[in-house]
Amino acid sequence: MMMTARTNDHAAYDYVGYEYLTVNAAADRQSMLADGYRAFGWQLLDADARTLRFRRERAIANKTEVSRLQRQYEAQVAQLDDLAAAPARNGRIAGLSLGLVGCAFLAGATFSYLAGLVALMVVLAVPGFACWIAAYPAARKVASAAARRAGALSERLYDANDDVCRRAAALLA
């Protein structure tokens, strides 16, 4: 009986409390996130198509500083996600804006036609159709320019993330 009590006491000392984290991520970012979170003491438990699940010991050294660095890392990852979406978003905005301007010209042309002002209708219809035709090439040009700008900035963010991960890993070592 005494041996059982001692075993139970020993088991109580072996207890390790964990905290858990679930991160939603696109498939192309999962490897980067799994490597990054490892620097903050997280162990990857499970991953599926959109979700990563981690755990780490609750009692870690320098927890406050590691948590601060982790928040910095997460903010930079969010910036990377925003930069990745920026080219398509900016191109879409440019194309839709140009198309909307074309609609305004064509609406003016329609009202001019209904009022019997054929010359004004032609003057308004030409830029309206030109805006419609130019919307797609303008969207592509804006998207490619945004992609070039985002490429350089994203490399700096990857380097900053690497630095943050190195500092966190050094705190845990």
Side-chain angles (χ1 to χ4, degrees):
M1 186 94 170
M2 191 61 113
M3 194 174 215
T4 307
R6 190 175 294 157
T7 305
N8 286 341
D9 287 342
H10 181 67
Y13 292 117
D14 288 343
Y15 173 76
V16 177
Y18 291 101
E19 53 186 344
Y20 296 90
L21 175 70
T22 301
V23 178
N24 294 326
D28 61 336
R29 297 250 188 228
Q30 285 186 347
S31 297
M32 179 194 70
L33 290 173
D35 292 342
Y37 278 104
R38 188 174 348 159
F40 303 101
W42 294 101
Q43 299 169 345
L44 182 64
L45 292 177
D46 183 26
D48 58 28
R50 302 285 298 163
T51 306
L52 298 170
R53 290 174 191 81
F54 297 96
R55 80 172 184 183
R56 76 174 171 194
E57 289 186 19
R58 189 170 288 283
I60 59 172
N62 301 313
K63 187 170 186 172
T64 305
E65 183 65 15
V66 170
S67 295
R68 186 190 68 76
L69 289 171
Q70 181 178 330
R71 283 191 301 275
Q72 183 179 350
Y73 173 79
E74 289 168 343
Q76 290 170 346
V77 167
Q79 285 179 323
L80 282 168
D81 291 341
D82 188 49
L83 279 175
R89 182 183 56 239
N90 292 351
R92 193 177 313 118
I93 289 170
L96 289 173
S97 298
L98 201 53
L100 189 60
V101 168
C103 287
F105 275 112
L106 289 173
T110 302
F111 290 128
S112 298
Y113 175 76
L114 292 175
L117 304 170
V118 177
L120 182 59
M121 177 201 72
V122 171
V123 168
L124 293 174
V126 170
F129 284 119
C131 285
W132 276 5
I133 292 168
Y136 181 70
R140 288 186 51 136
K141 186 168 183 141
V142 167
S144 67
R148 281 192 304 275
R149 285 190 307 269
L153 186 53
S154 64
E155 279 303 314
R156 284 189 294 228
L157 281 171
Y158 280 122
D159 291 341
N161 270 347
D162 186 51
D163 180 53
V164 168
C165 289
R166 287 180 194 277
R167 288 188 299 177
L171 287 172
L172 293 174

